Amino acid sequence: LGRQVLQRIGAITYDLPRATLELQLAAPAAPPPGSFAAPLLLLDAHAYLTPVTTLSIDGSPHTFPVMFGGLYGSSLTITREEYLKSGHLPRALEHLDDPEAGLQMVWIDGAKIGDAALPGGLGGLVLAHTPPDQLLEQIRRLISFDVGGYINAPLYHRVAFTYALSSGKLYLKPRP
């Protein structure tokens, strides 16, 4: 959808496993029942709008921006730089699982999107190359914004998302 249409929509709620999409004219005044709030930013990359929020992993106080819609098979994909800033040691990335692609599989004990803690652990990938991948490099080059990774489709099966566009909020509703 273009910017003109998105300015008219108050909120977009999607639940991928249930194949539902709900559009609301007004943004919710408070988080929907059972939901948690996180910041939402739409980056204008000229050809598309990229939703971005903040993430922290493994109990680290370090937060970094991540975008939605990564194509990797893990719940989260994180750049080497953000993984190391989150308290992990470089030796964890010395022997990559896929050296040619620059990928290391990791277990993330806990993740927080904004202030919302996701229940349980998550599978993750670390992008060890510089640049990490083509899309993140394209965003850095086009709009000078450093995105530290992706929220990938497997996480959509654990959480329902509501984008409250006009208020800059993302509401997450974890599944039982």
Side-chain angles (χ1 to χ4, degrees):
L1 297 175
R3 283 175 285 212
Q4 295 82 2
V5 173
L6 288 174
Q7 289 175 354
R8 299 292 226 171
I9 298 173
I12 301 170
T13 300
Y14 65 94
D15 190 337
L16 190 61
R18 294 189 179 110
T20 62
L21 175 71
E22 180 183 325
L23 303 175
Q24 300 170 332
L25 287 176
S35 296
F36 304 94
L40 175 67
L41 175 67
L42 289 176
L43 296 179
D44 187 347
H46 305 293
Y48 51 87
L49 293 171
T50 303
V52 173
T53 191
T54 58
L55 178 72
S56 63
I57 61 169
D58 294 333
S60 171
H62 174 67
T63 61
F64 52 95
V66 291
M67 62 184 271
F68 288 86
L71 300 175
Y72 296 93
S74 61
S75 293
L76 300 172
T77 304
I78 302 164
T79 64
R80 174 188 189 94
E81 176 184 3
E82 301 301 349
Y83 187 72
L84 295 175
K85 285 181 180 178
S86 296
H88 297 278
L89 299 174
R91 69 173 172 247
L93 302 175
E94 286 177 358
H95 303 287
L96 301 178
D97 292 319
D98 185 343
E100 189 173 307
L103 297 174
Q104 176 67 34
M105 291 184 286
V106 294
W107 179 253
I108 298 169
D109 289 320
K112 288 173 71 175
I113 297 177
D115 291 329
L118 299 176
L122 301 166
L125 284 173
V126 176
L127 301 169
H129 283 168
T130 302
D133 74 2
Q134 289 181 338
L135 184 56
L136 293 179
E137 180 61 17
Q138 180 183 18
I139 289 172
R140 282 187 189 130
R141 213 179 43 225
L142 285 176
I143 56 177
S144 300
F145 191 89
D146 193 17
V147 177
Y150 301 98
I151 293 176
N152 301 314
L155 185 59
Y156 299 164
H157 293 279
R158 296 180 63 174
V159 180
F161 295 94
T162 298
Y163 295 156
L165 303 172
S166 60
S167 62
K169 294 284 183 189
L170 168 71
Y171 298 112
L172 304 101
K173 184 174 183 180
R175 295 189 199 296

